[in-house]
């Protein structure tokens, strides 16, 4: 079965909306909405195809785009079976004013509005991944079992840390409490889950604390060691439907394992020197870009970065930023 390569561009604007166009009536999947893109020509590099297609279709000039995800699916059309591979890019740099150059309807949609429009079935995975926040705050080491054990009615200091970052617009968190007792975890889960529900946030638990994702959490973030233990598996059964699965990566090998396993995102670190790991050589932004562009995954820049570095990070191919000290 032949495989048709298609490039797709996820184009955001400053209001957090995404560009979509409507397929013409009378063609395959006519009338449905889709993210702009098109077929890769013979001998054409996928990034160059993306730039060409988005200019020809919606009139924008792409200056930077990073691999976001890759999907392959089969369908039958006119008695022939075809395999289509969607190469999906997150377009973090572009200029111009988008319009339907082929007279096709065009719209800017929030995530909620995307969920209300009719899309081809293959787009559901793309829309789900777009719900992933672009900032990831990780609980600092100061929140240890010994620091929390004297709290008689929940964990006030920890909750204040969450509330502070929620007020700053952070909605995705990684909760890490090494050597925490089951009793203390029950208290943490009760209070943090309630806070996340109130503010529509998501809390991920760290793989050093859990081998599989508890029901109350929004997902599991695997350590690099835990990730490599799942080498050869596809989408390990350690999260439930609807929960996120992420992993810590530091090398190209780990990134490639994460891609094969099928995680939703990775953190790639350390980008810059950090006080917590002074002996670990930082990657630097150039190496971060070189590594992240080799896998079809959203990569969070981690290590010496904060929300203030978002523009620089996305300019080097990061999907977003993650941090500990930067979110205190």
């Amino acid at each position: 079965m032949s495989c048709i390569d298609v490039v797709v561009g996820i184009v955001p604007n400053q209001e957090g909306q995404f560009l979509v166009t409507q397929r013409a009536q009378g063609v395959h999947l006519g009338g449905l909405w889709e993210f702009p893109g098109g077929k890769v020509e013979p001998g054409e590099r996928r990034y160059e195809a993306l730039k060409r297609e988005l200019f020809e279709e919606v009139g924008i000039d792409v200056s930077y785009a990073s691999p976001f995800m890759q999907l392959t699916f089969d369908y039958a059309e006119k008695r022939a079976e075809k395999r289509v591979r969607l190469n999906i890019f997150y377009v973090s740099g572009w200029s111009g004013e988008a319009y339907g150059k082929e007279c096709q309807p065009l719209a800017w949609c929030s995530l909620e509005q995307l969920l209300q429009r009719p899309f081809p079935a293959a787009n559901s995975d793309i829309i789900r991944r777009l719900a992933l926040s672009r900032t990831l705050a990780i609980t600092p080491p100061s929140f240890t079992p010994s620091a929390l054990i004297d709290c008689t009615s929940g964990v006030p200091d920890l909750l204040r840390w969450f509330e502070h970052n929620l007020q700053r617009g952070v909605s995705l968190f990684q909760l890490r409490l090494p050597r925490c007792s089951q009793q203390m975890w029950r208290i943490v889960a009760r209070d943090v889950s309630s806070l996340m529900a109130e503010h529509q946030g998501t809390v991920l638990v760290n793989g050093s604390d859990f081998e599989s994702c508890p029901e109350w959490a929004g997902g599991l973030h695997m350590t690099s060691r835990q990730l490599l233990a799942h080498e050869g598996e596809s989408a390990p059964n350690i999260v439930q439907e609807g929960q996120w699965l992420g992993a810590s990566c530091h090398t190209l090998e780990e990134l490639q394992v994460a891609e094969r396993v099928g995680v939703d995102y990775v953190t790639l670190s350390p980008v810059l020197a950090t006080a917590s790991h002074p002996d670990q050589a930082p990657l630097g932004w150039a190496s971060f870009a070189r590594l992240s562009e080799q896998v079809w995954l959203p990569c969070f820049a981690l290590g010496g970065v904060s929300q203030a570095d978002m523009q620089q990070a996305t300019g080097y191919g990061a999907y977003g930023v993650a941090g500990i000290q930067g979110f205190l």
Side-chain angles (χ1 to χ4, degrees):
M1 183 187 305
S2 62
C3 183
I4 301 172
D5 265 308
V6 173
V7 288
V8 176
I10 305 299
V11 183
N13 63 15
Q14 293 183 344
E15 288 71 43
Q17 299 169 312
F18 301 97
L19 181 63
V20 292
T21 60
Q22 189 175 33
R23 294 180 64 86
Q25 300 291 342
V27 303
H28 180 64
L29 303 175
L32 299 183
W33 290 82
E34 63 183 0
F35 299 100
K39 294 181 182 179
V40 179
E41 299 294 342
E44 190 176 32
R45 296 178 63 225
R46 285 172 290 191
Y47 179 63
E48 295 303 321
L50 177 78
K51 294 176 66 175
R52 175 184 55 76
E53 283 288 344
L54 265 58
F55 180 75
E56 292 176 354
E57 190 174 336
V58 294
I60 65 172
D61 290 303
V62 174
S63 56
Y64 203 93
S66 52
F68 184 66
M69 65 189 302
Q70 197 174 62
L71 298 171
T72 302
F73 64 98
D74 301 329
Y75 69 93
E77 184 183 32
K78 296 180 180 179
R79 300 181 181 179
E81 292 186 354
K82 293 184 178 180
R83 174 166 294 167
V84 174
R85 180 167 52 226
L86 299 181
N87 305 282
I88 304 150
F89 290 84
Y90 194 93
V91 182
S92 53
W94 60 276
S95 60
E97 184 174 349
Y99 69 100
K101 291 183 71 173
E102 300 169 352
C103 298
Q104 73 275 34
L106 176 152
W108 290 97
C109 295
S110 65
L111 181 62
E112 292 75 17
Q113 291 169 332
L114 290 178
L115 295 170
Q116 296 169 3
R117 289 180 183 262
F119 279 82
N123 285 256
S124 60
D125 288 336
I126 304 175
I127 295 172
R128 175 185 179 270
R129 187 167 284 186
L130 285 176
L132 188 66
S133 170
R134 297 180 68 197
T135 52
L136 171 59
I138 304 170
T139 51
S142 56
F143 295 118
T144 62
S146 59
L148 300 175
I149 198 66
D150 293 331
C151 300
T152 57
S153 57
V155 281
D157 290 340
L158 181 61
L159 293 181
R160 277 193 289 270
W161 178 84
F162 276 109
E163 289 172 342
H164 169 71
N165 282 292
L166 285 163
Q167 291 168 1
R168 295 172 62 198
V170 181
S171 61
L172 183 65
F173 300 88
Q174 184 191 143
L175 177 59
R176 184 168 184 247
L177 299 175
R179 300 175 301 280
C180 189
S181 68
Q182 291 187 0
Q183 179 183 6
M184 184 54 65
W185 263 115
R186 284 194 291 270
I187 296 174
V188 170
R190 180 196 66 197
D191 291 355
V192 172
S193 296
S194 176
L195 187 63
M196 291 297 107
E198 180 182 351
H199 293 275
Q200 296 183 321
T202 300
V203 62
L204 315 168
V205 295
N206 191 275
S208 60
D209 303 324
F210 293 91
E211 281 298 319
S212 60
C213 190
E215 186 175 339
W216 56 266
L220 177 74
H221 183 91
M222 293 188 290
T223 65
S224 55
R225 180 178 298 180
Q226 193 175 14
L227 168 67
L228 294 175
H230 288 284
E231 170 72 82
E233 299 180 24
S234 178
N237 190 28
I238 56 178
V239 293
Q240 302 173 47
E241 185 176 354
Q243 291 180 322
W244 296 107
L245 179 62
S248 293
C249 293
H250 313 88
T251 66
L252 178 59
E253 178 193 4
E254 291 171 353
L255 287 170
Q256 291 171 336
V257 172
E259 185 177 43
R260 291 193 294 269
V261 166
V263 304
D264 294 302
Y265 73 91
V266 296
T267 58
L268 180 56
S269 66
V271 179
L272 305 176
T274 64
S276 57
H277 298 82
D279 299 328
Q280 192 168 356
L283 294 170
W285 285 114
S287 291
F288 177 93
R290 178 180 56 81
L291 291 171
S292 64
E293 70 183 6
Q294 296 185 62
V295 290
W296 292 92
L297 287 170
C299 295
F300 285 86
L302 172 64
V305 299
S306 68
Q307 284 177 287
D309 299 301
M310 180 67 79
Q311 184 174 357
Q312 182 178 29
T314 55
Y316 281 97
Y319 174 72
V321 296
I324 301 173
Q325 299 297 327
F327 292 85
L328 291 178

